[in-house]
Amino acid sequence: MPAVEIFEVGPRDGLQNETRLIPAAEKVALVDCLSQAGFRRIEVASFVSPKWVPQMATSGEVLGRIARAPGVRYAALTPNLRGLTDALAARADEVAIFGSASEGFSRANLNCSVEESLARFAPVMEHAREAGVQVRGYVSCITDCPFDGPTAPAAVAWLAGQLLAMGCYEISLGDTLGRGTPERIAAMLRAVLDEVPPERLAGHYHDTGGQALANIAVSIEHGVRVFDAAIGGLGGCPYAPGASGNVATETVHDWLTERGIQTGLDHTVLHQARDMAHALRGGEGHVSDIDA
Ligand code: HMG
Ligand code: MG
């Protein structure tokens, strides 16, 4: 059991924002490399509308073609029942619902209010439970929303509590814009910890402001032991203007290791995967290879 777990989200959160439509084979190669690094969980897919996020249209194919490593759970985002049905058909090992602590981002990202998003998530939870598949819950905009401005910690705590009560096994707290600072992350965590115990929380920090490692440090002080990261610092959210990539997995790994905190990850494989991620971003594949 690693002291801190890094949940790899690069193949989903990282790639979803790339403008070049990356062929499924290139995504599969990246996931297959990551599968050798020692992760317990890798988010590889997103069953959302292809009109909203065209890059994720190959999600079923990716899940179907990866070489599944023993002990690794391959995760997918599922905003509604249609997404869950498709994720189960593609044999996702776990799924995630994703809500926003702010109304503006909820409307931009899910085309509905926060309350309406919870109503859509209810049947996802019910069917996932029947299928024996665990559901993770994301809360976006934990410090700032691109549309509504600063987010009140109480709004984050409320949604995190709702997702926990619905049956999510873990709540991932998303600094979608990457504008959080340690002081504001600490204030947010103090509110959230009234609703959700630290062992059920994860930090999901984009690194726009260069504060992600400091935000991880303050989260560790508050008892959080799981952090989402994207190999090569890939990423951004298409519905969060101004957001840059997730904090880079290899950076978090090196930073934790220097502090004597074990992640269970293989440095050499991580750096191979980082090079692959950078090549994907650079567009070394050929657009003509894209599956129609
Ligand atoms: P909508 O338009 O309100 O939904 O979108 P709808 O039910 O009216 O359907 C519209 C069309 O989408 C229909 O097709 C549906 O069939 C189709 P049409 O009749 O027009 O041809 N559709 C679907 N297709 C495939 N899979 C589905 C699905 N559902 C409907 N599951 C909807 C609502 C949720 C679908 C849309 O808003 C959407 O896809 N949003 C996803 C946006 C997204 O993926 N954002 C990025 C991920 S979130 C993120 O990155 C943040 C995170 O990293 C944490 C953080 O950093 O904060 C998690
Ligand atoms: Mg994200």
Side-chain angles (χ1 to χ4, degrees):
M1 201 57 183
V4 163
E5 181 187 355
I6 300 180
F7 186 130
E8 174 58 43
V9 297
R12 193 283 304 173
D13 204 359
L15 296 184
Q16 72 181 6
N17 208 34
E18 291 297 312
T19 44
R20 176 179 78 99
L21 282 178
I22 300 167
E26 292 181 37
K27 297 177 184 173
V28 169
L30 178 65
V31 175
D32 285 351
C33 183
L34 289 166
S35 290
Q36 301 307 311
F39 294 105
R40 295 164 66 208
R41 298 178 283 172
I42 307 176
E43 197 170 75
V44 302
S46 181
F47 291 93
V48 300
S49 164
K51 288 181 189 154
W52 284 64
V53 188
Q55 186 65 261
M56 289 290 111
T58 52
S59 285
E61 187 181 351
V62 170
L63 270 167
R65 289 171 59 183
I66 54 174
R68 291 169 187 248
V72 183
R73 279 158 61 167
Y74 297 93
L77 293 193
T78 54
N80 53 21
L81 201 47
R82 159 91 185 270
L84 177 72
T85 306
D86 291 351
L88 294 179
R91 295 197 303 121
D93 296 311
E94 64 172 71
V95 299
I97 54 178
F98 48 104
S100 172
S102 66
E103 288 295 335
F105 186 70
S106 183
R107 294 222 167 266
N109 198 45
L110 293 170
N111 200 26
C112 65
S113 70
V114 176
E115 283 285 350
E116 285 163 344
S117 73
L118 291 174
R120 288 184 192 177
F121 298 153
V124 176
M125 296 302 304
E126 190 186 322
H127 282 74
R129 196 176 301 117
E130 283 166 12
V133 166
Q134 284 193 307
V135 183
R136 198 176 195 232
Y138 280 101
V139 179
S140 286
C141 300
I142 56 167
T143 60
D144 297 275
C145 169
F147 310 102
D148 300 351
T151 305
V156 183
W158 180 81
L159 183 58
Q162 294 289 313
L163 294 174
L164 187 74
M166 288 174 86
C168 290
Y169 78 94
E170 184 172 274
I171 312 300
S172 177
L173 300 167
D175 180 7
T176 317
L177 286 189
R179 286 197 201 143
T181 58
E183 295 72 25
R184 297 178 68 213
I185 292 288
M188 178 278 302
L189 282 173
R190 282 195 296 274
V192 171
L193 285 166
D194 284 342
E195 305 291 334
V196 184
E199 63 274 14
R200 304 286 289 274
L201 291 173
H204 176 108
Y205 304 140
H206 289 254
D207 202 22
T208 320
Q211 293 291 303
L213 291 177
N215 293 338
I216 289 174
V218 78
S219 303
I220 290 174
E221 284 169 21
H222 284 78
V224 180
R225 295 289 179 269
V226 178
F227 296 97
D228 300 352
I231 196 74
L234 290 171
C237 174
Y239 294 100
S244 79
N246 291 84
V247 64
T249 305
E250 65 279 9
T251 304
V252 180
H253 165 79
D254 289 350
W255 183 86
L256 290 168
T257 306
E258 281 162 19
R259 281 155 186 77
I261 301 171
Q262 300 304 314
T263 66
L265 299 176
D266 183 314
H267 178 87
T268 306
V269 178
L270 282 185
H271 283 256
Q272 284 167 356
R274 177 206 57 187
D275 292 346
M276 289 177 82
H278 287 168
L280 282 190
R281 172 175 276 168
E284 284 187 1
H286 300 288
V287 175
S288 57
D289 290 339
I290 295 171
D291 299 329

mmCIF file of all heavy atoms in Angstrom, residues 9 12-14 16 43 77 105 138 140 172 174-177 204-206 228 235-237 243-246, ligand 2:
data_model
loop_
_atom_site.group_PDB
_atom_site.id
_atom_site.type_symbol
_atom_site.label_atom_id
_atom_site.label_comp_id
_atom_site.label_asym_id
_atom_site.label_seq_id
_atom_site.Cartn_x
_atom_site.Cartn_y
_atom_site.Cartn_z
ATOM 1 N N VAL A 9 -4.831 10.405 -14.314
ATOM 2 C CA VAL A 9 -5.991 10.838 -15.106
ATOM 3 C C VAL A 9 -5.604 11.350 -16.498
ATOM 4 O O VAL A 9 -6.453 11.830 -17.247
ATOM 5 C CB VAL A 9 -6.833 11.926 -14.367
ATOM 6 C CG1 VAL A 9 -7.431 11.380 -13.079
ATOM 7 C CG2 VAL A 9 -6.003 13.183 -14.092
ATOM 8 N N ARG A 12 -7.541 10.578 -19.777
ATOM 9 C CA ARG A 12 -8.869 11.209 -19.866
ATOM 10 C C ARG A 12 -8.758 12.730 -19.720
ATOM 11 O O ARG A 12 -8.902 13.471 -20.688
ATOM 12 C CB ARG A 12 -9.814 10.610 -18.809
ATOM 13 C CG ARG A 12 -11.283 10.956 -19.006
ATOM 14 C CD ARG A 12 -11.676 12.359 -18.571
ATOM 15 N NE ARG A 12 -11.357 12.660 -17.177
ATOM 16 C CZ ARG A 12 -11.504 13.856 -16.653
ATOM 17 N NH1 ARG A 12 -11.957 14.871 -17.367
ATOM 18 N NH2 ARG A 12 -11.171 14.081 -15.370
ATOM 19 N N ASP A 13 -8.446 13.185 -18.523
ATOM 20 C CA ASP A 13 -8.434 14.640 -18.299
ATOM 21 C C ASP A 13 -7.346 15.300 -19.124
ATOM 22 O O ASP A 13 -7.502 16.422 -19.605
ATOM 23 C CB ASP A 13 -8.198 14.937 -16.807
ATOM 24 C CG ASP A 13 -8.721 16.295 -16.384
ATOM 25 O OD1 ASP A 13 -9.255 17.024 -17.240
ATOM 26 O OD2 ASP A 13 -8.598 16.638 -15.199
ATOM 27 N N GLY A 14 -6.234 14.572 -19.301
ATOM 28 C CA GLY A 14 -5.132 15.120 -20.071
ATOM 29 C C GLY A 14 -5.459 15.257 -21.543
ATOM 30 O O GLY A 14 -5.271 16.320 -22.133
ATOM 31 N N GLN A 16 -8.426 14.981 -23.155
ATOM 32 C CA GLN A 16 -9.738 15.461 -23.620
ATOM 33 C C GLN A 16 -9.684 16.853 -24.246
ATOM 34 O O GLN A 16 -10.541 17.219 -25.038
ATOM 35 C CB GLN A 16 -10.755 15.456 -22.470
ATOM 36 C CG GLN A 16 -10.518 16.538 -21.430
ATOM 37 C CD GLN A 16 -11.514 16.506 -20.281
ATOM 38 O OE1 GLN A 16 -12.339 15.609 -20.181
ATOM 39 N NE2 GLN A 16 -11.437 17.487 -19.396
ATOM 40 N N GLU A 43 -7.585 6.609 -15.132
ATOM 41 C CA GLU A 43 -8.811 7.056 -15.809
ATOM 42 C C GLU A 43 -8.506 7.149 -17.302
ATOM 43 O O GLU A 43 -7.661 7.944 -17.716
ATOM 44 C CB GLU A 43 -9.239 8.409 -15.247
ATOM 45 C CG GLU A 43 -10.667 8.771 -15.573
ATOM 46 C CD GLU A 43 -11.079 9.995 -14.774
ATOM 47 O OE1 GLU A 43 -10.644 11.102 -15.134
ATOM 48 O OE2 GLU A 43 -11.808 9.839 -13.783
ATOM 49 N N LEU A 77 -15.468 8.389 -17.019
ATOM 50 C CA LEU A 77 -16.477 9.369 -16.613
ATOM 51 C C LEU A 77 -17.821 9.003 -17.236
ATOM 52 O O LEU A 77 -17.896 8.632 -18.410
ATOM 53 C CB LEU A 77 -16.113 10.776 -17.094
ATOM 54 C CG LEU A 77 -14.894 11.488 -16.530
ATOM 55 C CD1 LEU A 77 -14.928 12.966 -16.923
ATOM 56 C CD2 LEU A 77 -14.782 11.341 -15.038
ATOM 57 N N PHE A 105 -20.306 26.822 -14.003
ATOM 58 C CA PHE A 105 -19.574 25.719 -14.630
ATOM 59 C C PHE A 105 -20.477 24.514 -14.844
ATOM 60 O O PHE A 105 -20.341 23.798 -15.846
ATOM 61 C CB PHE A 105 -18.356 25.331 -13.793
ATOM 62 C CG PHE A 105 -17.476 24.304 -14.462
ATOM 63 C CD1 PHE A 105 -16.726 24.637 -15.585
ATOM 64 C CD2 PHE A 105 -17.412 22.998 -13.995
ATOM 65 C CE1 PHE A 105 -15.927 23.686 -16.225
ATOM 66 C CE2 PHE A 105 -16.612 22.045 -14.614
ATOM 67 C CZ PHE A 105 -15.867 22.391 -15.728
ATOM 68 N N TYR A 138 -16.677 13.599 -8.570
ATOM 69 C CA TYR A 138 -15.834 14.783 -8.693
ATOM 70 C C TYR A 138 -16.634 16.017 -8.292
ATOM 71 O O TYR A 138 -17.809 16.138 -8.636
ATOM 72 C CB TYR A 138 -15.405 15.011 -10.142
ATOM 73 C CG TYR A 138 -14.261 14.171 -10.645
ATOM 74 C CD1 TYR A 138 -14.488 13.060 -11.444
ATOM 75 C CD2 TYR A 138 -12.946 14.530 -10.358
ATOM 76 C CE1 TYR A 138 -13.425 12.314 -11.947
ATOM 77 C CE2 TYR A 138 -11.885 13.784 -10.857
ATOM 78 C CZ TYR A 138 -12.130 12.681 -11.654
ATOM 79 O OH TYR A 138 -11.077 11.954 -12.149
ATOM 80 N N SER A 140 -16.050 19.947 -9.129
ATOM 81 C CA SER A 140 -15.229 20.916 -9.863
ATOM 82 C C SER A 140 -15.329 22.298 -9.222
ATOM 83 O O SER A 140 -16.236 22.573 -8.439
ATOM 84 C CB SER A 140 -15.685 21.002 -11.319
ATOM 85 O OG SER A 140 -15.280 19.859 -12.031
ATOM 86 N N SER A 172 -13.340 13.401 -5.343
ATOM 87 C CA SER A 172 -12.149 14.074 -5.859
ATOM 88 C C SER A 172 -12.451 15.561 -5.991
ATOM 89 O O SER A 172 -13.403 15.960 -6.670
ATOM 90 C CB SER A 172 -11.759 13.474 -7.215
ATOM 91 O OG SER A 172 -10.658 14.172 -7.753
ATOM 92 N N GLY A 174 -11.767 19.065 -7.318
ATOM 93 C CA GLY A 174 -11.106 19.588 -8.509
ATOM 94 C C GLY A 174 -10.889 21.093 -8.497
ATOM 95 O O GLY A 174 -11.846 21.871 -8.494
ATOM 96 N N ASP A 175 -9.603 21.469 -8.499
ATOM 97 C CA ASP A 175 -9.271 22.880 -8.748
ATOM 98 C C ASP A 175 -9.176 23.019 -10.270
ATOM 99 O O ASP A 175 -8.093 23.008 -10.854
ATOM 100 C CB ASP A 175 -7.961 23.263 -8.060
ATOM 101 C CG ASP A 175 -7.593 24.725 -8.308
ATOM 102 O OD1 ASP A 175 -8.417 25.455 -8.898
ATOM 103 O OD2 ASP A 175 -6.476 25.125 -7.926
ATOM 104 N N THR A 176 -10.324 23.136 -10.866
ATOM 105 C CA THR A 176 -10.478 23.082 -12.320
ATOM 106 C C THR A 176 -9.623 24.129 -13.025
ATOM 107 O O THR A 176 -9.016 23.860 -14.062
ATOM 108 C CB THR A 176 -11.965 23.305 -12.663
ATOM 109 O OG1 THR A 176 -12.750 22.538 -11.754
ATOM 110 C CG2 THR A 176 -12.282 22.914 -14.085
ATOM 111 N N LEU A 177 -9.601 25.324 -12.466
ATOM 112 C CA LEU A 177 -8.861 26.420 -13.096
ATOM 113 C C LEU A 177 -7.399 26.458 -12.682
ATOM 114 O O LEU A 177 -6.595 27.141 -13.304
ATOM 115 C CB LEU A 177 -9.512 27.760 -12.747
ATOM 116 C CG LEU A 177 -10.828 28.089 -13.438
ATOM 117 C CD1 LEU A 177 -11.217 29.529 -13.149
ATOM 118 C CD2 LEU A 177 -10.726 27.875 -14.939
ATOM 119 N N HIS A 204 -7.478 17.036 -6.718
ATOM 120 C CA HIS A 204 -7.352 17.028 -8.193
ATOM 121 C C HIS A 204 -6.993 18.449 -8.599
ATOM 122 O O HIS A 204 -7.862 19.290 -8.791
ATOM 123 C CB HIS A 204 -8.695 16.579 -8.776
ATOM 124 C CG HIS A 204 -8.788 16.598 -10.268
ATOM 125 N ND1 HIS A 204 -8.817 15.442 -11.033
ATOM 126 C CD2 HIS A 204 -8.900 17.611 -11.152
ATOM 127 C CE1 HIS A 204 -8.936 15.760 -12.306
ATOM 128 N NE2 HIS A 204 -8.994 17.073 -12.411
ATOM 129 N N TYR A 205 -5.694 18.685 -8.692
ATOM 130 C CA TYR A 205 -5.242 20.061 -8.829
ATOM 131 C C TYR A 205 -4.621 20.328 -10.196
ATOM 132 O O TYR A 205 -3.594 19.750 -10.549
ATOM 133 C CB TYR A 205 -4.260 20.391 -7.703
ATOM 134 C CG TYR A 205 -4.836 20.160 -6.309
ATOM 135 C CD1 TYR A 205 -4.072 19.609 -5.295
ATOM 136 C CD2 TYR A 205 -6.175 20.477 -6.040
ATOM 137 C CE1 TYR A 205 -4.612 19.395 -4.019
ATOM 138 C CE2 TYR A 205 -6.717 20.259 -4.775
ATOM 139 C CZ TYR A 205 -5.936 19.708 -3.774
ATOM 140 O OH TYR A 205 -6.469 19.489 -2.533
ATOM 141 N N HIS A 206 -5.263 21.211 -10.926
ATOM 142 C CA HIS A 206 -4.643 21.715 -12.154
ATOM 143 C C HIS A 206 -3.570 22.725 -11.727
ATOM 144 O O HIS A 206 -3.615 23.264 -10.627
ATOM 145 C CB HIS A 206 -5.710 22.321 -13.074
ATOM 146 C CG HIS A 206 -6.596 21.256 -13.682
ATOM 147 N ND1 HIS A 206 -6.494 20.868 -14.992
ATOM 148 C CD2 HIS A 206 -7.574 20.486 -13.151
ATOM 149 C CE1 HIS A 206 -7.382 19.916 -15.247
ATOM 150 N NE2 HIS A 206 -8.051 19.662 -14.141
ATOM 151 N N ASP A 228 -4.915 13.157 -7.815
ATOM 152 C CA ASP A 228 -5.019 12.936 -9.248
ATOM 153 C C ASP A 228 -3.890 13.712 -9.929
ATOM 154 O O ASP A 228 -3.555 14.830 -9.513
ATOM 155 C CB ASP A 228 -6.357 13.459 -9.780
ATOM 156 C CG ASP A 228 -7.563 12.788 -9.136
ATOM 157 O OD1 ASP A 228 -7.381 11.809 -8.387
ATOM 158 O OD2 ASP A 228 -8.692 13.256 -9.394
ATOM 159 N N GLY A 235 -3.320 18.316 -20.291
ATOM 160 C CA GLY A 235 -4.673 18.586 -19.865
ATOM 161 C C GLY A 235 -5.201 19.985 -19.889
ATOM 162 O O GLY A 235 -4.614 20.916 -20.412
ATOM 163 N N GLY A 236 -6.382 20.075 -19.264
ATOM 164 C CA GLY A 236 -7.222 21.256 -19.315
ATOM 165 C C GLY A 236 -8.647 20.768 -19.482
ATOM 166 O O GLY A 236 -8.860 19.580 -19.694
ATOM 167 N N CYS A 237 -9.579 21.652 -19.333
ATOM 168 C CA CYS A 237 -10.975 21.243 -19.528
ATOM 169 C C CYS A 237 -11.566 22.106 -20.637
ATOM 170 O O CYS A 237 -11.472 23.333 -20.569
ATOM 171 C CB CYS A 237 -11.780 21.399 -18.236
ATOM 172 S SG CYS A 237 -13.539 21.063 -18.463
ATOM 173 N N ALA A 243 -8.049 27.207 -18.143
ATOM 174 C CA ALA A 243 -7.496 26.149 -17.304
ATOM 175 C C ALA A 243 -6.361 25.463 -18.043
ATOM 176 O O ALA A 243 -6.475 25.177 -19.233
ATOM 177 C CB ALA A 243 -8.571 25.121 -16.965
ATOM 178 N N SER A 244 -5.266 25.183 -17.341
ATOM 179 C CA SER A 244 -4.179 24.445 -17.981
ATOM 180 C C SER A 244 -4.176 23.028 -17.437
ATOM 181 O O SER A 244 -5.133 22.579 -16.816
ATOM 182 C CB SER A 244 -2.848 25.151 -17.785
ATOM 183 O OG SER A 244 -2.367 24.889 -16.505
ATOM 184 N N GLY A 245 -3.059 22.313 -17.674
ATOM 185 C CA GLY A 245 -3.028 20.891 -17.386
ATOM 186 C C GLY A 245 -3.088 20.546 -15.911
ATOM 187 O O GLY A 245 -2.888 21.380 -15.030
ATOM 188 N N ASN A 246 -3.353 19.255 -15.683
ATOM 189 C CA ASN A 246 -3.247 18.727 -14.331
ATOM 190 C C ASN A 246 -1.774 18.796 -13.926
ATOM 191 O O ASN A 246 -0.885 18.770 -14.770
ATOM 192 C CB ASN A 246 -3.660 17.245 -14.293
ATOM 193 C CG ASN A 246 -5.131 17.050 -14.538
ATOM 194 O OD1 ASN A 246 -5.554 17.002 -15.687
ATOM 195 N ND2 ASN A 246 -5.903 16.962 -13.489
HETATM 196 MG MG MG B 2 -9.699 18.072 -14.268
#
